[in-house]
Amino acid sequence: MTSEDLILGIDFGGTKVALGLSDRTGALLATRRLDTDAEAGAEQVVTRALAAAAELVAGAPLTAIGVVSPGIVLPDRILLAPNVPGWEELHLADLVSAAFPDVPIAVGTDAKAAALAEWTWGTLKGADPAVFLSLGTGIAAAVLVGGHLLTGANGAAGEIGYNLRTPQDADGFASGAAPLEEAVGGRWLGTRATALLGRPVTAGELFALARENTEAKELVASALDELSMHVANLAIAFDPARIAVGGGLVRSADVLLPALRERLTAAVPFPPELVPARFDQDASLLGAVALALRE
């Protein structure tokens, strides 16, 4: 391998950190995963991740590094990322640059980077406009026009987890709420399912239970009914050629996609093609690689 062939991707998540060494085609040559251990704070996450990255690279020359994280990643802070104590005060690019001097570094939001990976190597390739819908612990969307990410004035375009659900949600973000995410995000679905069924249940387990359990089926149907309305409104606003659905909940695509497709067909003047994302496990990690290659 030469220095022009190697890209390091780092995906900081709420519960894990994924590291990957890739070539220019997006093929992961080596990977490693670490627990975030969020309660111990932000600095230890970055310190351990960069040490693991150095071991993964093993001194090989790099052409670029891509780093992604939840939230809006700015040079001196990270906005809308409260899940790890101290994360919003991190100078993430500076910390990575200190560990890997003289290597170009690109930083960005994980869901938007995942969209870029899908457009570069996955099921959004050739679609214009294209939408990536990330359904997992949280809810987010990313829009690409001509292969370029729509970031918005503050980098927050597509943060649909903050969508209002009713006129009574008028305060929304100002009151500390993320109304849509708290209704249909994986973490909150798991919490509601646990309370409903009287035992610990994850969102993925809830979708599996919905095939035979009446209470689980009703909870999933209610969540999908609400989610599909917001996805339809997104399609009406941007008129995409294709929507790719990714994130952890896409493992329940047999339940999820038909509900979304039915609403899109009924509500959208020009219904977009709806497909599962190519990448689920490594979407944001490959997005970090795609971001590094792009910038």
Side-chain angles (χ1 to χ4, degrees):
M1 301 293 291
T2 70
S3 62
E4 293 184 349
D5 295 319
L6 292 176
I7 301 95
L8 173 65
I10 306 176
D11 169 26
F12 287 101
T15 59
K16 54 85 181 170
V17 180
L19 309 167
L21 198 61
S22 170
D23 65 16
R24 288 181 175 273
T25 70
L28 291 171
L29 309 173
T31 61
R32 186 170 177 185
R33 282 172 169 76
L34 309 171
D35 289 334
T36 300
D37 192 13
E39 293 182 358
E43 289 190 10
Q44 59 82 28
V45 182
V46 178
T47 298
R48 289 190 295 110
L50 292 177
E55 292 178 2
L56 189 69
V57 172
L62 297 171
T63 188
I65 300 173
V67 184
V68 299
S69 160
I72 311 305
V73 185
L74 302 176
D76 59 344
R77 62 194 185 281
I78 301 174
L79 305 179
L80 307 183
N83 292 330
V84 179
W87 199 255
E88 294 187 328
E89 284 74 47
L90 285 179
H91 297 204
L92 194 53
D94 291 343
L95 292 170
V96 178
S97 181
F100 294 93
D102 303 320
V103 181
I105 296 170
V107 296
T109 301
D110 50 5
K112 288 183 176 64
L116 193 57
E118 286 294 334
W119 193 87
T120 306
W121 302 299
T123 56
L124 288 179
K125 191 170 186 177
D128 188 23
V131 170
F132 176 74
L133 186 65
S134 179
L135 304 178
T137 302
I139 302 293
V143 179
L144 298 108
V145 180
H148 297 281
L149 283 166
L150 180 63
T151 58
N154 302 287
E159 294 290 338
I160 63 171
Y162 294 99
N163 277 15
L164 303 180
R165 301 169 60 206
T166 71
Q168 288 69 43
D169 289 330
D171 288 339
F173 173 75
S175 64
L180 181 61
E181 186 164 289
E182 291 167 16
V184 301
R187 176 181 301 162
W188 287 271
L189 280 180
T191 299
R192 291 161 65 192
T194 295
L196 180 68
L197 301 175
R199 61 182 178 83
V201 179
T202 66
E205 291 168 343
L206 171 65
F207 275 83
L209 288 168
R211 296 179 176 91
E212 55 188 34
N213 182 287
T214 300
E215 292 177 306
K217 184 176 182 179
E218 290 176 353
L219 178 54
V220 167
S222 174
L224 290 181
D225 190 45
E226 177 153 9
L227 174 65
S228 65
M229 176 184 69
H230 290 268
V231 176
N233 286 339
L234 189 66
I236 291 168
F238 290 101
D239 189 25
R242 190 178 306 145
I243 297 176
V245 183
L249 292 184
V250 80
R251 298 184 186 91
S252 302
D254 60 324
V255 177
L256 182 64
L257 293 189
L260 296 180
R261 189 172 287 117
E262 181 179 0
R263 181 63 70 97
L264 288 170
T265 300
V268 180
F270 301 97
E273 182 183 7
L274 184 72
V275 297
R278 176 180 176 184
F279 309 113
D280 56 358
Q281 297 290 334
D282 294 315
S284 295
L285 178 59
L286 287 170
V289 173
L291 188 66
L293 288 171
R294 174 67 63 93
E295 296 191 9

mmCIF file of all heavy atoms in Angstrom, residues 15-47:
data_model
loop_
_atom_site.group_PDB
_atom_site.id
_atom_site.type_symbol
_atom_site.label_atom_id
_atom_site.label_comp_id
_atom_site.label_asym_id
_atom_site.label_seq_id
_atom_site.Cartn_x
_atom_site.Cartn_y
_atom_site.Cartn_z
ATOM 1 N N THR A 15 -22.567 4.951 21.961
ATOM 2 C CA THR A 15 -22.231 3.752 22.736
ATOM 3 C C THR A 15 -20.954 3.077 22.272
ATOM 4 O O THR A 15 -20.389 2.278 23.017
ATOM 5 C CB THR A 15 -23.376 2.724 22.665
ATOM 6 O OG1 THR A 15 -23.608 2.361 21.291
ATOM 7 C CG2 THR A 15 -24.662 3.306 23.251
ATOM 8 N N LYS A 16 -20.482 3.373 21.069
ATOM 9 C CA LYS A 16 -19.272 2.730 20.570
ATOM 10 C C LYS A 16 -18.515 3.676 19.650
ATOM 11 O O LYS A 16 -19.053 4.645 19.104
ATOM 12 C CB LYS A 16 -19.601 1.416 19.849
ATOM 13 C CG LYS A 16 -20.618 1.514 18.724
ATOM 14 C CD LYS A 16 -20.032 1.915 17.380
ATOM 15 C CE LYS A 16 -21.078 2.018 16.295
ATOM 16 N NZ LYS A 16 -20.571 2.634 15.047
ATOM 17 N N VAL A 17 -17.236 3.367 19.474
ATOM 18 C CA VAL A 17 -16.400 4.064 18.506
ATOM 19 C C VAL A 17 -15.943 3.029 17.487
ATOM 20 O O VAL A 17 -15.444 1.957 17.858
ATOM 21 C CB VAL A 17 -15.159 4.706 19.164
ATOM 22 C CG1 VAL A 17 -14.321 5.435 18.115
ATOM 23 C CG2 VAL A 17 -15.572 5.657 20.271
ATOM 24 N N ALA A 18 -16.144 3.321 16.215
ATOM 25 C CA ALA A 18 -15.696 2.425 15.150
ATOM 26 C C ALA A 18 -14.525 3.070 14.419
ATOM 27 O O ALA A 18 -14.563 4.255 14.078
ATOM 28 C CB ALA A 18 -16.835 2.148 14.167
ATOM 29 N N LEU A 19 -13.493 2.281 14.207
ATOM 30 C CA LEU A 19 -12.298 2.725 13.490
ATOM 31 C C LEU A 19 -12.122 1.842 12.257
ATOM 32 O O LEU A 19 -12.371 0.632 12.309
ATOM 33 C CB LEU A 19 -11.057 2.593 14.372
ATOM 34 C CG LEU A 19 -11.118 3.201 15.776
ATOM 35 C CD1 LEU A 19 -9.944 2.715 16.614
ATOM 36 C CD2 LEU A 19 -11.117 4.710 15.688
ATOM 37 N N GLY A 20 -11.680 2.442 11.164
ATOM 38 C CA GLY A 20 -11.466 1.654 9.967
ATOM 39 C C GLY A 20 -10.368 2.227 9.099
ATOM 40 O O GLY A 20 -10.235 3.450 8.960
ATOM 41 N N LEU A 21 -9.585 1.342 8.529
ATOM 42 C CA LEU A 21 -8.566 1.708 7.551
ATOM 43 C C LEU A 21 -9.080 1.247 6.201
ATOM 44 O O LEU A 21 -9.411 0.074 6.012
ATOM 45 C CB LEU A 21 -7.239 1.026 7.891
ATOM 46 C CG LEU A 21 -5.973 1.589 7.250
ATOM 47 C CD1 LEU A 21 -5.746 3.041 7.658
ATOM 48 C CD2 LEU A 21 -4.768 0.740 7.639
ATOM 49 N N SER A 22 -9.174 2.184 5.253
ATOM 50 C CA SER A 22 -9.839 1.910 3.984
ATOM 51 C C SER A 22 -8.956 2.313 2.808
ATOM 52 O O SER A 22 -8.055 3.144 2.934
ATOM 53 C CB SER A 22 -11.156 2.685 3.930
ATOM 54 O OG SER A 22 -11.738 2.633 2.644
ATOM 55 N N ASP A 23 -9.259 1.712 1.655
ATOM 56 C CA ASP A 23 -8.669 2.213 0.416
ATOM 57 C C ASP A 23 -9.652 3.179 -0.229
ATOM 58 O O ASP A 23 -10.712 3.485 0.327
ATOM 59 C CB ASP A 23 -8.278 1.064 -0.525
ATOM 60 C CG ASP A 23 -9.471 0.252 -1.025
ATOM 61 O OD1 ASP A 23 -10.628 0.732 -0.901
ATOM 62 O OD2 ASP A 23 -9.260 -0.865 -1.522
ATOM 63 N N ARG A 24 -9.313 3.668 -1.423
ATOM 64 C CA ARG A 24 -10.129 4.695 -2.056
ATOM 65 C C ARG A 24 -11.476 4.180 -2.560
ATOM 66 O O ARG A 24 -12.357 4.964 -2.901
ATOM 67 C CB ARG A 24 -9.360 5.330 -3.225
ATOM 68 C CG ARG A 24 -8.228 6.235 -2.769
ATOM 69 C CD ARG A 24 -7.512 6.869 -3.966
ATOM 70 N NE ARG A 24 -6.502 7.822 -3.535
ATOM 71 C CZ ARG A 24 -6.726 9.098 -3.287
ATOM 72 N NH1 ARG A 24 -7.945 9.580 -3.415
ATOM 73 N NH2 ARG A 24 -5.759 9.893 -2.905
ATOM 74 N N THR A 25 -11.646 2.871 -2.641
ATOM 75 C CA THR A 25 -12.915 2.314 -3.103
ATOM 76 C C THR A 25 -13.905 2.107 -1.966
ATOM 77 O O THR A 25 -15.017 1.636 -2.195
ATOM 78 C CB THR A 25 -12.681 0.961 -3.797
ATOM 79 O OG1 THR A 25 -12.289 -0.034 -2.834
ATOM 80 C CG2 THR A 25 -11.607 1.073 -4.871
ATOM 81 N N GLY A 26 -13.513 2.436 -0.748
ATOM 82 C CA GLY A 26 -14.387 2.207 0.392
ATOM 83 C C GLY A 26 -14.279 0.820 0.977
ATOM 84 O O GLY A 26 -15.065 0.454 1.863
ATOM 85 N N ALA A 27 -13.323 0.041 0.525
ATOM 86 C CA ALA A 27 -13.115 -1.300 1.078
ATOM 87 C C ALA A 27 -12.361 -1.187 2.398
ATOM 88 O O ALA A 27 -11.263 -0.623 2.452
ATOM 89 C CB ALA A 27 -12.321 -2.159 0.101
ATOM 90 N N LEU A 28 -12.946 -1.693 3.468
ATOM 91 C CA LEU A 28 -12.311 -1.632 4.779
ATOM 92 C C LEU A 28 -11.274 -2.741 4.898
ATOM 93 O O LEU A 28 -11.593 -3.929 4.808
ATOM 94 C CB LEU A 28 -13.372 -1.764 5.879
ATOM 95 C CG LEU A 28 -14.325 -0.570 6.005
ATOM 96 C CD1 LEU A 28 -15.471 -0.893 6.954
ATOM 97 C CD2 LEU A 28 -13.573 0.670 6.483
ATOM 98 N N LEU A 29 -10.034 -2.340 5.091
ATOM 99 C CA LEU A 29 -8.927 -3.276 5.157
ATOM 100 C C LEU A 29 -8.706 -3.781 6.575
ATOM 101 O O LEU A 29 -8.194 -4.888 6.775
ATOM 102 C CB LEU A 29 -7.651 -2.605 4.644
ATOM 103 C CG LEU A 29 -7.780 -1.914 3.275
ATOM 104 C CD1 LEU A 29 -6.523 -1.141 2.952
ATOM 105 C CD2 LEU A 29 -8.088 -2.935 2.192
ATOM 106 N N ALA A 30 -9.056 -2.969 7.559
ATOM 107 C CA ALA A 30 -8.926 -3.357 8.967
ATOM 108 C C ALA A 30 -9.874 -2.491 9.773
ATOM 109 O O ALA A 30 -10.092 -1.318 9.453
ATOM 110 C CB ALA A 30 -7.487 -3.168 9.456
ATOM 111 N N THR A 31 -10.470 -3.060 10.809
ATOM 112 C CA THR A 31 -11.405 -2.311 11.646
ATOM 113 C C THR A 31 -11.170 -2.626 13.119
ATOM 114 O O THR A 31 -10.562 -3.650 13.463
ATOM 115 C CB THR A 31 -12.871 -2.651 11.302
ATOM 116 O OG1 THR A 31 -13.098 -4.044 11.532
ATOM 117 C CG2 THR A 31 -13.192 -2.297 9.867
ATOM 118 N N ARG A 32 -11.681 -1.745 13.951
ATOM 119 C CA ARG A 32 -11.644 -1.986 15.387
ATOM 120 C C ARG A 32 -12.790 -1.217 16.035
ATOM 121 O O ARG A 32 -13.184 -0.153 15.530
ATOM 122 C CB ARG A 32 -10.316 -1.538 15.989
ATOM 123 C CG ARG A 32 -10.181 -1.897 17.472
ATOM 124 C CD ARG A 32 -8.796 -1.667 18.000
ATOM 125 N NE ARG A 32 -8.739 -1.955 19.432
ATOM 126 C CZ ARG A 32 -7.664 -1.744 20.183
ATOM 127 N NH1 ARG A 32 -6.557 -1.261 19.630
ATOM 128 N NH2 ARG A 32 -7.687 -2.014 21.474
ATOM 129 N N ARG A 33 -13.340 -1.751 17.108
ATOM 130 C CA ARG A 33 -14.429 -1.101 17.823
ATOM 131 C C ARG A 33 -14.127 -1.008 19.312
ATOM 132 O O ARG A 33 -13.536 -1.934 19.879
ATOM 133 C CB ARG A 33 -15.744 -1.855 17.605
ATOM 134 C CG ARG A 33 -16.358 -1.556 16.240
ATOM 135 C CD ARG A 33 -17.549 -2.446 15.925
ATOM 136 N NE ARG A 33 -18.235 -1.963 14.755
ATOM 137 C CZ ARG A 33 -17.810 -2.122 13.507
ATOM 138 N NH1 ARG A 33 -16.659 -2.741 13.286
ATOM 139 N NH2 ARG A 33 -18.503 -1.643 12.486
ATOM 140 N N LEU A 34 -14.530 0.099 19.913
ATOM 141 C CA LEU A 34 -14.345 0.334 21.339
ATOM 142 C C LEU A 34 -15.665 0.769 21.948
ATOM 143 O O LEU A 34 -16.484 1.415 21.286
ATOM 144 C CB LEU A 34 -13.323 1.462 21.573
ATOM 145 C CG LEU A 34 -11.969 1.402 20.876
ATOM 146 C CD1 LEU A 34 -11.249 2.721 21.090
ATOM 147 C CD2 LEU A 34 -11.153 0.256 21.422
ATOM 148 N N ASP A 35 -15.878 0.443 23.202
ATOM 149 C CA ASP A 35 -17.016 0.995 23.929
ATOM 150 C C ASP A 35 -16.756 2.466 24.225
ATOM 151 O O ASP A 35 -15.632 2.852 24.577
ATOM 152 C CB ASP A 35 -17.234 0.245 25.241
ATOM 153 C CG ASP A 35 -17.764 -1.162 25.024
ATOM 154 O OD1 ASP A 35 -18.416 -1.382 23.988
ATOM 155 O OD2 ASP A 35 -17.521 -2.034 25.879
ATOM 156 N N THR A 36 -17.787 3.281 24.100
ATOM 157 C CA THR A 36 -17.627 4.705 24.391
ATOM 158 C C THR A 36 -17.426 4.960 25.877
ATOM 159 O O THR A 36 -16.647 5.837 26.269
ATOM 160 C CB THR A 36 -18.864 5.490 23.896
ATOM 161 O OG1 THR A 36 -18.984 5.298 22.479
ATOM 162 C CG2 THR A 36 -18.739 6.967 24.195
ATOM 163 N N ASP A 37 -18.124 4.194 26.720
ATOM 164 C CA ASP A 37 -18.083 4.416 28.165
ATOM 165 C C ASP A 37 -18.426 5.871 28.458
ATOM 166 O O ASP A 37 -17.670 6.609 29.102
ATOM 167 C CB ASP A 37 -16.718 4.057 28.740
ATOM 168 C CG ASP A 37 -16.714 3.985 30.267
ATOM 169 O OD1 ASP A 37 -17.814 3.967 30.848
ATOM 170 O OD2 ASP A 37 -15.625 3.976 30.864
ATOM 171 N N ALA A 38 -19.607 6.275 27.973
ATOM 172 C CA ALA A 38 -20.000 7.686 27.977
ATOM 173 C C ALA A 38 -19.963 8.316 29.363
ATOM 174 O O ALA A 38 -19.614 9.498 29.504
ATOM 175 C CB ALA A 38 -21.392 7.826 27.372
ATOM 176 N N GLU A 39 -20.310 7.568 30.387
ATOM 177 C CA GLU A 39 -20.385 8.147 31.727
ATOM 178 C C GLU A 39 -19.016 8.633 32.225
ATOM 179 O O GLU A 39 -18.947 9.486 33.112
ATOM 180 C CB GLU A 39 -20.974 7.140 32.708
ATOM 181 C CG GLU A 39 -22.444 6.811 32.430
ATOM 182 C CD GLU A 39 -23.010 5.844 33.445
ATOM 183 O OE1 GLU A 39 -22.250 5.409 34.335
ATOM 184 O OE2 GLU A 39 -24.212 5.531 33.356
ATOM 185 N N ALA A 40 -17.938 8.101 31.661
ATOM 186 C CA ALA A 40 -16.593 8.512 32.068
ATOM 187 C C ALA A 40 -16.164 9.813 31.394
ATOM 188 O O ALA A 40 -15.078 10.323 31.669
ATOM 189 C CB ALA A 40 -15.584 7.406 31.766
ATOM 190 N N GLY A 41 -16.987 10.357 30.505
ATOM 191 C CA GLY A 41 -16.699 11.649 29.912
ATOM 192 C C GLY A 41 -16.092 11.580 28.525
ATOM 193 O O GLY A 41 -15.711 10.512 28.029
ATOM 194 N N ALA A 42 -15.996 12.750 27.893
ATOM 195 C CA ALA A 42 -15.616 12.838 26.493
ATOM 196 C C ALA A 42 -14.127 12.617 26.247
ATOM 197 O O ALA A 42 -13.736 11.941 25.287
ATOM 198 C CB ALA A 42 -16.029 14.202 25.943
ATOM 199 N N GLU A 43 -13.273 13.194 27.101
ATOM 200 C CA GLU A 43 -11.837 13.173 26.813
ATOM 201 C C GLU A 43 -11.283 11.757 26.754
ATOM 202 O O GLU A 43 -10.457 11.447 25.889
ATOM 203 C CB GLU A 43 -11.083 14.008 27.843
ATOM 204 C CG GLU A 43 -11.322 15.508 27.700
ATOM 205 C CD GLU A 43 -10.380 16.316 28.577
ATOM 206 O OE1 GLU A 43 -9.428 15.718 29.136
ATOM 207 O OE2 GLU A 43 -10.594 17.536 28.695
ATOM 208 N N GLN A 44 -11.732 10.894 27.677
ATOM 209 C CA GLN A 44 -11.198 9.534 27.682
ATOM 210 C C GLN A 44 -11.623 8.764 26.424
ATOM 211 O O GLN A 44 -10.883 7.905 25.935
ATOM 212 C CB GLN A 44 -11.636 8.795 28.952
ATOM 213 C CG GLN A 44 -13.148 8.666 29.175
ATOM 214 C CD GLN A 44 -13.800 7.536 28.421
ATOM 215 O OE1 GLN A 44 -13.154 6.526 28.133
ATOM 216 N NE2 GLN A 44 -15.080 7.693 28.086
ATOM 217 N N VAL A 45 -12.786 9.086 25.871
ATOM 218 C CA VAL A 45 -13.231 8.433 24.640
ATOM 219 C C VAL A 45 -12.266 8.759 23.510
ATOM 220 O O VAL A 45 -11.788 7.870 22.788
ATOM 221 C CB VAL A 45 -14.652 8.891 24.244
ATOM 222 C CG1 VAL A 45 -15.112 8.160 22.984
ATOM 223 C CG2 VAL A 45 -15.629 8.676 25.379
ATOM 224 N N VAL A 46 -11.973 10.038 23.359
ATOM 225 C CA VAL A 46 -11.095 10.465 22.271
ATOM 226 C C VAL A 46 -9.680 9.929 22.480
ATOM 227 O O VAL A 46 -9.042 9.446 21.533
ATOM 228 C CB VAL A 46 -11.085 12.006 22.164
ATOM 229 C CG1 VAL A 46 -10.130 12.455 21.062
ATOM 230 C CG2 VAL A 46 -12.487 12.526 21.900
ATOM 231 N N THR A 47 -9.183 9.979 23.705
ATOM 232 C CA THR A 47 -7.825 9.498 23.993
ATOM 233 C C THR A 47 -7.689 8.022 23.640
ATOM 234 O O THR A 47 -6.720 7.606 22.978
ATOM 235 C CB THR A 47 -7.488 9.709 25.480
ATOM 236 O OG1 THR A 47 -7.534 11.113 25.775
ATOM 237 C CG2 THR A 47 -6.101 9.174 25.802
#
